[in-house]
Amino acid sequence: MSTNRKILLQRLSKGNGTETIFDSLDVSESTHQEYCHRIGLFLSYAQRYGFNQQSYLAFKRYLDGRSDYAVSTKNKYLITAKIFLRELVRRGVLPIDVTQNVKIFKQSKRHRRQGLTDTEVKLLGVKIQALPKTPRNSRLQAMFSLLAYQGLRQIEIVRLDVEDIDLEKETALILGKGEDDKELIYLTPVTARAVRDYIRLHNPKGALFSSMGNRKRDRLSTRTIKREFQSIFTQLGYEKTVHGFRHFYITELLKNMDMRDVRKFSRHRSMEMLIVYDDEVSLKEKTAKVFQVMEQFNMCG
């Protein structure tokens, strides 16, 4: 590799100019930020071990040896590095695409982390409703309702504006994952009440949910949502993630509705992913029947 390319990678690995590499990509702001955050691991690796035609493959092997990362996390770092390197090729910074013929890690399509159960969600609801009446807790109650009773993704909550909420009709306009237009949803009475109480207390302008720290004008981040709920998860002894709310929502709908209707209410573009959820529900229900069948052969008492 030429001296100029070495200097470029060294400069990027120090955090200067990384953002501009991703600026020409047609991705959302949140995805852009994720790319900028994740690329640091590859750049640090390249700075430490040097950069050559085998660096991307070597980086994959390095990730493979990381026992602290799940396969999905490893793939996120690997894909980010591929996008970054291919953009450098497109700009003429690198002469060849060193990511060719390097595959991502094989990953099961089934969910690695178990979602929240109905019992856990009920206990969370009781816990959150019992919190002192403060502005922060009012925000938490509204977000809990949107997550648990509407199945919203965290990024969808972040994108909500005050004008998206119609409390008279009890509806909301949601900008979904990978969508360019907003979609109408109907709010449950519990959600409408929680959001109404939140708006009455905060009187927000622009973004529905904003930071409560030193940067009060800033839109709430998904990182803050994770932090707020992780604190309560820890108190209750739950080893779950905020995405567990969506898993709960879809799973409960599948127990009572046709899959095509669940797709509409969950705003899931992939029927294949819903089949994974449905298989999990079916497997759990049928397991009990299998146990009953085999019980007749029990020779242990």
Side-chain angles (χ1 to χ4, degrees), residues 289-299 301:
K289 295 180 180 179
V290 171
F291 288 172
Q292 291 176 5
V293 170
M294 300 310 297
E295 184 65 26
Q296 61 183 308
F297 302 107
N298 182 11
M299 306 300 293

Side-chain angles (χ1 to χ4, degrees), residues 13 37 48 71 82 87 115 128-129 138 151 153 166 169 171 208 212-214 216 218 226 253 263 285 287 290:
S13 65
H37 171 72
R48 181 176 181 181
V71 174
K82 175 180 286 188
E87 180 61 16
I128 291 174
Q129 287 299 322
S138 172
R153 302 176 177 90
D166 188 333
K169 297 180 179 179
T171 61
L208 180 63
M212 291 185 177
N214 297 327
K216 294 183 179 180
D218 289 354
K226 289 182 174 67
L253 292 190
R263 184 181 185 184
E285 292 177 347
T287 295
V290 171

Side-chain angles (χ1 to χ4, degrees), residues 69-81:
Y69 287 162
V71 174
S72 59
T73 301
K74 293 177 181 179
N75 275 334
K76 288 177 181 178
Y77 281 112
L78 197 61
I79 291 170
T80 299

Side-chain angles (χ1 to χ4, degrees), residues 46-65:
Q47 184 183 35
R48 181 176 181 181
Y49 297 103
F51 184 83
N52 54 52
Q53 293 185 16
Q54 299 299 317
S55 290
Y56 185 69
L57 177 59
F59 181 62
K60 177 185 177 181
R61 291 170 177 167
Y62 160 76
L63 289 172
D64 191 32

Side-chain angles (χ1 to χ4, degrees), residues 121-185:
V121 170
K122 289 176 183 177
L123 289 176
L124 276 166
V126 171
K127 173 77 172 178
I128 291 174
Q129 287 299 322
L131 292 173
K133 301 299 182 181
T134 66
R136 185 177 295 275
N137 290 339
S138 172
R139 183 181 71 176
L140 188 68
Q141 290 166 357
M143 292 193 299
F144 170 79
S145 296
L146 291 167
L147 288 164
Y149 307 138
Q150 306 292 156
L152 262 62
R153 302 176 177 90
Q154 297 165 67
I155 190 60
E156 293 171 341
I157 291 178
V158 168
R159 292 171 176 169
L160 277 172
D161 291 325
V162 177
E163 64 181 17
D164 295 329
I165 306 297
D166 188 333
L167 291 175
E168 183 177 347
K169 297 180 179 179
E170 297 191 345
T171 61
L173 292 172
I174 306 299
L175 183 58
K177 179 181 178 183
E179 298 293 337
D180 296 318
D181 199 9
K182 296 181 179 181
E183 185 175 356
L184 180 75
I185 67 167

Side-chain angles (χ1 to χ4, degrees), residues 4-20:
N4 289 338
R5 294 189 187 113
K6 288 182 180 178
I7 293 175
L8 173 64
L9 284 174
Q10 288 174 355
R11 179 168 63 85
L12 291 173
S13 65
K14 293 177 181 178
N16 300 317
T18 303
E19 293 84 355
T20 62

Side-chain angles (χ1 to χ4, degrees), residues 26 43 68 95 103 122 135 223 244 250 290 293 301:
D26 185 15
L43 292 174
D68 55 330
K103 301 178 182 178
K122 289 176 183 177
R223 184 178 301 179
I250 294 175
V290 171
V293 170

Side-chain angles (χ1 to χ4, degrees), residues 124 127-128 131 134-141 143-144 147 154 209-213 220-236 240-242 245:
L124 276 166
K127 173 77 172 178
I128 291 174
L131 292 173
T134 66
R136 185 177 295 275
N137 290 339
S138 172
R139 183 181 71 176
L140 188 68
Q141 290 166 357
M143 292 193 299
F144 170 79
L147 288 164
Q154 297 165 67
F209 297 108
S210 301
S211 172
M212 291 185 177
L220 188 73
S221 68
T222 56
R223 184 178 301 179
T224 300
I225 295 177
K226 289 182 174 67
R227 184 175 65 245
E228 294 283 321
F229 281 97
Q230 198 59 55
S231 174
I232 298 180
F233 289 168
T234 301
Q235 293 175 34
L236 294 175
K240 302 294 177 69
T241 66
V242 179
F245 282 114

